[in-house]
Amino acid sequence: MIKVDAGSFRITILAMKNKNIAMSAAARAAVDAAGGIWHQKVKQNVSLRDHTLSQLAAMDHPYARRHGSIRVHQSRPYSVHSQSGKMLRSIKGKSVKSGKYPAFKVMTDLRTAPHARYVIQGTKVMLPRDVIWNTGLESGTRKEMMKAVVRALGKGLRSGAALRFG
């Protein structure tokens, strides 16, 4: 049995018939597939272009802390509007090893976009928008990640393995 954390959900891979399966390679492929979806979805959520800075100012700065909550994009209030494209370019995804299990990390490169820290964590005048974490929690993202895991494991484990999500 291998337990894997991929984004915001946990997968347990159970060997049903053949205990000598190359499960670690299959688990790595599954985590990379799910992580790739997560990375792609985060990039989509930081590249909104439906409002310019002047339009956001005319809307009385909908991300301002003084409002108490974000007043734009109610279904995804953590979304980020792209102005220069630096934050979009700063979003990186890579495979890492977390203890003895494979993992995938989605992060911002603060050398490319130092302001990303303030967008994600917020400031004394701007509400936080943790686009990376909240994208991983979206039901659509989770479903696509699970499908990617099943596809990757289907290729790697043609031997009667079972999956348990949760």
Side-chain angles (χ1 to χ4, degrees), residues 79-117:
S79 298
V80 178
H81 292 86
S82 180
Q83 303 301 326
S84 67
K86 286 183 182 178
M87 187 164 174
L88 177 60
R89 287 191 302 276
S90 79
I91 303 295
K92 307 292 182 203
K94 70 176 186 174
S95 295
V96 294
K97 191 164 183 157
S98 176
K100 59 182 180 176
Y101 301 117
F104 196 92
K105 189 175 190 176
V106 177
M107 66 205 140
T108 58
D109 179 0
L110 295 177
R111 293 170 296 181
T112 305
H115 67 283
R117 169 183 289 136

Side-chain angles (χ1 to χ4, degrees), residues 26-40:
R28 165 60 57 208
V31 169
D32 287 348
I37 298 292
W38 183 27
H39 181 223
Q40 171 192 357

Side-chain angles (χ1 to χ4, degrees), residues 64-66 118 121-127:
R65 193 172 287 278
R66 70 177 178 270
Y118 306 118
Q121 295 176 352
T123 65
K124 64 181 181 179
V125 296
M126 184 175 67
L127 290 165

Side-chain angles (χ1 to χ4, degrees), residues 59-78:
M59 296 167 68
D60 192 28
H61 302 284
Y63 298 105
R65 193 172 287 278
R66 70 177 178 270
H67 300 304
S69 64
I70 295 173
R71 301 183 323 154
V72 68
H73 300 292
Q74 292 302 310
S75 63
R76 289 188 177 136
Y78 47 86

